[in-house]
Amino acid sequence: MTDDDFAPAAVSHENVMTVADDRFAPGNVAIVTGAASGIGRATAVALAANGLTVLATDLDEDGLADAVERADEIGVDGSVETHEADLTNDDDIEGIVDAAAELGDVRFVANIAGLQHIDPIDEFPVEKFDLMHQVMLRAPFLLAKHAMPHIRESGSEAAGTSGTGAIGNMASIHGHTATEDKAAYISAKFGLRGLTQAIAAEGDGTLRAFSVSTGYVKTPLVTEQIPDTAAERGISEQEVVEDVMLGDAKVKEMMEPVEVANLFVLGFSEHARHLDGGDLTWDGGHLYTY
Ligand code: NAD
């Protein structure tokens, strides 16, 4: 097994889903967290390819620059604007929404930033637990808190577009089921699905919320946990991928980041008008077969 086995496909016009939607226009802004890497970066580029202005945010400035570079390389109808921020800092979180509002009508938020730590509960560092819950649950709550008033004020009554928008939250199959050594991740993702439903409950059907749950996607978050999982379980790295990660799935392939990005495109589009509080479970058969 080499690193090439995990190399993701570059985002291109061929693999990005494009949707005809009047709200996918440069005057409308989508905030994307975790946009410096993996799923977040692909989502930032895919939404810009659909014509939106994207406020791409992350801790990692260089990674954000890569997102802009990719958007420029493929030539998007919208744009990717970058904003460095730390999702553990409340002022930074408010600053993300303020910066997005400077760019246009804030309509969409994709909460994608995340991190993983592998340890059994009795050895799990409590500061790691807190950090993971801050980034993957508290920050999405705060971003929703600051962004929802903007979404409600967006659009025009005459065009029938007032107050329409959506918040999409990146959950996981581990927001549905549990495995060993991931207590912080699993509890944050279950919580994030609950938050999604809470946003939908307050969104009046025009401001929608949805979550996205996938199995394993070709990103650094996954490839970097393979050695730890192997050590933890006393098995080879190959066995981690084939038996642990994809063992319970029917589709024996990791997903591409752009395939996940396309779920955010779908979820934000008017084709998903009835997706409200629900989960896009793209799990390759992991959860519903045995
Ligand atoms: P990734 O490691 O490639 O990207 C995560 C990004 O989050 C990084 O750019 C990182 O800098 C950013 N981030 C972390 N802490 C931050 C903070 N405090 N402030 C701002 N940004 C911060 O990971 P990925 O695989 O693309 O994961 C993205 C999301 O998808 C995560 O929420 C993850 O749980 C979820 N997910 C991933 C997979 C998978 O298999 N890769 C599967 C299901 C769900």
Side-chain angles (χ1 to χ4, degrees), residues 206-223:
T206 48
L207 191 178
R208 295 180 296 104
F210 63 93
S211 53
V212 172
S213 293
T214 67
Y216 291 89
V217 186
K218 292 179 188 170
T219 74
L221 181 141
V222 163
T223 50

Side-chain angles (χ1 to χ4, degrees), residues 126-279:
V126 72
E127 58 280 4
K128 269 282 182 209
F129 183 95
D130 289 342
L131 172 66
M132 291 169 71
H133 274 243
Q134 264 191 307
V135 173
M136 294 193 286
L137 187 53
R138 191 172 186 279
F141 163 75
L142 274 178
L143 278 168
K145 181 180 169 67
H146 296 306
M148 284 170 76
H150 286 282
I151 299 173
R152 288 199 174 100
E153 284 161 17
S154 67
S156 81
E157 228 166 274
T161 60
S162 56
T164 53
I167 297 181
N169 294 321
M170 188 65 207
S172 165
I173 51 171
H174 294 124
H176 297 255
T177 188
T179 184
E180 294 166 31
D181 304 329
K182 295 184 180 174
Y185 189 86
I186 289 160
S187 52
K189 294 303 191 188
F190 269 78
L192 188 58
R193 289 185 58 224
L195 174 67
T196 303
Q197 292 178 225
I199 296 167
E202 296 185 23
D204 297 325
T206 48
L207 191 178
R208 295 180 296 104
F210 63 93
S211 53
V212 172
S213 293
T214 67
Y216 291 89
V217 186
K218 292 179 188 170
T219 74
L221 181 141
V222 163
T223 50
E224 284 165 14
Q225 73 180 272
I226 292 170
D228 282 355
T229 306
E232 197 66 47
R233 298 189 182 216
I235 57 177
S236 72
E237 294 187 11
Q238 184 144 356
E239 284 169 323
V240 171
V241 174
E242 290 175 3
D243 300 341
V244 181
M245 293 179 168
L246 300 175
D248 288 331
K250 293 291 173 194
V251 182
K252 298 287 181 193
E253 272 173 54
M254 286 201 268
M255 256 177 110
E256 295 288 350
V258 66
E259 292 178 300
V260 188
N262 286 338
L263 298 178
F264 282 91
V265 172
L266 172 66
F268 286 158
S269 77
E270 62 182 5
H271 298 290
R273 211 152 42 82
H274 293 273
L275 173 67
D276 199 12
D279 184 64

Side-chain angles (χ1 to χ4, degrees), residues 36-195:
S37 177
I39 296 165
R41 185 195 295 172
T43 302
V45 178
L47 293 172
N50 272 275
L52 285 162
T53 295
V54 174
L55 191 283
T57 184
D58 204 288
L59 281 173
D60 170 5
E61 211 180 351
D62 293 343
L64 287 174
D66 291 344
V68 175
E69 195 181 312
R70 189 62 198 151
D72 289 346
E73 274 165 10
I74 69 169
V76 295
D77 290 343
S79 68
V80 177
E81 310 295 331
T82 65
H83 182 86
E84 203 184 331
D86 183 347
L87 293 173
T88 65
N89 181 309
D90 289 3
D91 291 338
D92 277 17
I93 292 174
E94 204 170 346
I96 291 169
V97 179
D98 290 346
E102 293 282 312
L103 298 172
D105 272 3
V106 179
R107 296 278 200 165
F108 306 106
V109 181
N111 284 303
I112 299 181
L115 64 162
Q116 182 59 281
H117 181 86
I118 312 283
D119 251 327
I121 291 171
D122 50 4
E123 289 165 27
F124 209 98
V126 72
E127 58 280 4
K128 269 282 182 209
F129 183 95
D130 289 342
L131 172 66
M132 291 169 71
H133 274 243
Q134 264 191 307
V135 173
M136 294 193 286
L137 187 53
R138 191 172 186 279
F141 163 75
L142 274 178
L143 278 168
K145 181 180 169 67
H146 296 306
M148 284 170 76
H150 286 282
I151 299 173
R152 288 199 174 100
E153 284 161 17
S154 67
S156 81
E157 228 166 274
T161 60
S162 56
T164 53
I167 297 181
N169 294 321
M170 188 65 207
S172 165
I173 51 171
H174 294 124
H176 297 255
T177 188
T179 184
E180 294 166 31
D181 304 329
K182 295 184 180 174
Y185 189 86
I186 289 160
S187 52
K189 294 303 191 188
F190 269 78
L192 188 58
R193 289 185 58 224
L195 174 67

